[in-house]
Amino acid sequence: MNPYGIDTLKKLKQNPDFNILDHLSEDEGPNPDNEDANLAELKKELETSRRDSRPHALDALLPDYELTPDEVAKMESEKVLYPNFLVQQHILVLIGMPGAGKTSLCFYEVCPTLAKNGLETVYVDADAPALQRKNMAEFANQHGFHYLDPGRKSIDRFMKDLKKQVEKKASFEKIVLFFDTLKKFTGIFDKKNIKEFFMLCRNIAELGGTIVLLGHTNKHRGKNGELIFEGVGDVMNDTDELFILEHRPCEEGGIDCNVITDPAKGAKVRGFFESWSFRITPEREIQLYDKPLDFSQRDERNQAVIKTAKRILKEAQKPMAFTALVQHVRAETGFGRNKVQEIIKANYSPKEEDDKIFVYELGDRNAKLMRINKKYLK
């Protein structure tokens, strides 16, 4: 028979250090003098009670990390801040060759538009020459956005101050930060630096902010003529979008630009974006085109010049002076001398390992003697 009354058992089972199973034998059956006549049922209940008294792994995690209904209610759905370009609380990397129009697009077109739409827009400029900053500061003031010069103290100091705001969990709601250029704020070839920088950017995004990073491409294009990002691959992995800015001279003056958003051409997207085009006038005004420009004609011209130059060098069976090669290509293609020179120069290097189509050596009077890179002889 059970030596304990039911009231005593109920009190004892509240004490996790008391193991009633040690005081009961398996052959003890129901107690007719007790409300709880089924001892087996009581044993099961006590075992469950002791098991539930242990700390649960999620007890310490959920309060700090689970999104509450109030927090979810405050979250906005993804909002497009600039069509086919910028999404709220995303990190965007815009890359292009020097002079491709990255600063002009972001500073003279996107920033004024965002400010006009009520966003706190901040352009952090570590790239513009000192003489140009006066005009840029005046333009920003006229169009209602902020122009910051981190060099007034130091870039390191600016980044530390920014990090402090993140550590304080300060609100970045409706704030858009532009960093020009990326390599001035972090080591783009250092994986550790890039990881830390993008963690900071991601924290800012989680606090409501939006980030635009301006970056460069390699001087040399890929085998198919595509622009290649300058830096480690983690940049592509950690950003939400990476767009590529192509440019070419405009017949009316200035340059024409294509914003490439197609992953097949090296871009990265999270969502649906269409490529678009604009013109930068000599006065740095931005004129948007109704539809994307077709740069394929330029690509066809490049291919024609390269194909002709390769055939001429193969037939010569020996290195040829750069000026002579240009003359031969001009005669066969009908293209202008400057254009032929530009295309060949974009595809030559003094080093085989640079993976350019043409390689040159310096001859008499520093004349460039051209030949085909061994990798491209097939």
Side-chain angles (χ1 to χ4, degrees):
M1 299 294 290
N2 180 9
Y4 298 99
I6 188 63
D7 293 335
T8 303
L9 287 171
K10 287 182 178 180
K11 291 179 181 179
L12 289 174
K13 75 175 185 177
Q14 294 176 0
N15 181 3
D17 296 328
F18 182 82
N19 187 357
I20 195 171
L21 300 182
D22 295 336
H23 299 266
L24 298 176
S25 61
E26 291 295 335
D27 59 351
E28 287 179 318
N31 185 352
D33 300 325
N34 199 296
E35 295 178 3
D36 191 354
N38 192 338
L39 182 59
E41 184 71 21
L42 181 58
K43 286 183 179 181
K44 181 178 180 181
E45 183 180 351
L46 290 173
E47 288 176 337
T48 302
S49 176
R50 293 186 64 220
R51 187 166 56 246
D52 291 345
S53 68
R54 291 179 298 177
H56 196 279
L58 290 181
D59 291 343
L61 296 175
L62 296 183
D64 290 334
Y65 298 102
E66 185 174 31
L67 291 173
T68 66
D70 288 342
E71 290 172 330
V72 173
K74 292 179 181 179
M75 291 182 174
E76 297 185 20
S77 58
E78 288 191 342
K79 180 180 178 182
V80 176
L81 303 182
Y82 193 97
N84 286 316
F85 189 69
L86 190 59
V87 177
Q88 188 174 30
Q89 292 183 257
H90 276 213
I91 302 171
L92 164 67
V93 175
L94 178 66
I95 65 171
M97 297 281 281
K102 301 181 297 295
T103 298
S104 294
L105 171 63
C106 292
F107 189 83
Y108 293 103
E109 168 60 24
V110 180
C111 283
T113 301
L114 298 178
K116 185 178 180 180
N117 292 337
L119 294 166
E120 287 282 354
T121 307
V122 184
Y123 199 92
V124 189
D125 188 359
D127 195 56
L131 293 177
Q132 189 176 333
R133 292 182 182 180
K134 177 181 181 296
N135 295 332
M136 295 179 75
E138 292 175 349
F139 181 90
N141 185 54
Q142 292 170 3
H143 291 82
F145 64 96
H146 306 283
Y147 180 71
L148 305 188
D149 178 6
R152 291 184 64 187
K153 293 186 177 180
S154 74
I155 294 177
D156 288 341
R157 172 68 180 275
F158 174 80
M159 295 304 296
K160 288 179 181 178
D161 289 343
L162 182 62
K163 187 175 181 180
K164 286 180 181 178
Q165 297 304 309
V166 171
E167 291 171 347
K168 291 178 181 178
K169 302 295 183 181
S171 174
F172 283 81
E173 186 177 356
K174 294 186 177 181
I175 294 177
V176 184
L177 290 167
F178 290 77
F179 290 86
D180 189 358
T181 61
L182 176 59
K183 66 180 179 181
K184 297 292 180 68
F185 296 93
T186 186
I188 59 174
F189 293 101
D190 187 310
K191 294 176 73 69
K192 181 180 178 182
N193 286 346
I194 283 292
K195 179 181 179 180
E196 293 176 352
F197 181 82
F198 271 90
M199 285 181 64
L200 177 64
C201 291
R202 187 60 64 191
N203 289 335
I204 291 174
E206 290 173 354
L207 292 169
T210 306
I211 306 286
V212 181
L213 307 170
L214 280 63
H216 289 152
T217 59
N218 289 335
K219 294 180 180 179
H220 306 303
R221 292 176 178 264
K223 293 182 178 181
N224 298 318
E226 73 278 10
L227 290 171
I228 301 174
F229 174 73
E230 180 185 47
V232 295
D234 298 61
V235 174
M236 173 75 83
N237 297 334
D238 294 340
T239 190
D240 294 307
E241 284 84 33
L242 185 145
F243 298 154
I244 303 168
L245 199 59
E246 278 275 20
H247 72 291
R248 70 181 182 187
C250 177
E251 295 179 358
E252 299 175 358
I255 60 174
D256 286 331
C257 304
N258 270 353
V259 179
I260 299 173
T261 63
D262 184 358
K265 296 181 179 179
K268 176 187 177 181
V269 296
R270 285 179 176 165
F272 179 75
F273 295 83
E274 293 181 346
S275 296
W276 51 286
S277 302
F278 62 94
R279 176 194 174 206
I280 304 176
T281 70
E283 296 76 28
R284 283 190 175 238
E285 294 179 359
I286 306 296
Q287 298 176 349
L288 303 179
Y289 288 111
D290 293 333
K291 59 182 181 179
L293 297 176
D294 183 7
F295 279 15
S296 61
Q297 183 178 359
R298 184 197 65 177
D299 296 336
E300 293 173 0
R301 180 174 54 194
N302 289 357
Q303 293 175 11
V305 168
I306 293 170
K307 183 178 179 180
T308 303
K310 286 177 66 177
R311 181 179 54 76
I312 291 171
L313 290 174
K314 283 183 179 180
E315 292 176 353
Q317 296 184 352
K318 63 179 181 180
M320 179 181 294
F322 175 76
T323 53
L325 178 61
V326 170
Q327 290 176 355
H328 286 296
V329 173
R330 283 186 62 201
E332 292 199 23
T333 62
F335 298 144
R337 178 172 59 86
N338 290 340
K339 182 53 60 179
V340 172
Q341 287 183 340
E342 176 187 330
I343 295 172
I344 294 178
K345 284 182 177 180
N347 291 277
Y348 76 18
S349 170
K351 301 177 181 179
E352 292 264 3
E353 57 269 24
D354 283 345
D355 201 27
K356 306 303 290 185
I357 298 174
F358 305 108
V359 178
Y360 67 83
E361 298 175 355
L362 295 179
D364 295 340
R365 299 181 180 179
N366 289 327
K368 293 178 180 176
L369 302 178
M370 307 291 297
R371 60 181 176 83
I372 303 173
N373 190 326
K374 295 178 181 178
K375 296 181 181 179
Y376 295 89
L377 280 174
K378 295 182 180 180

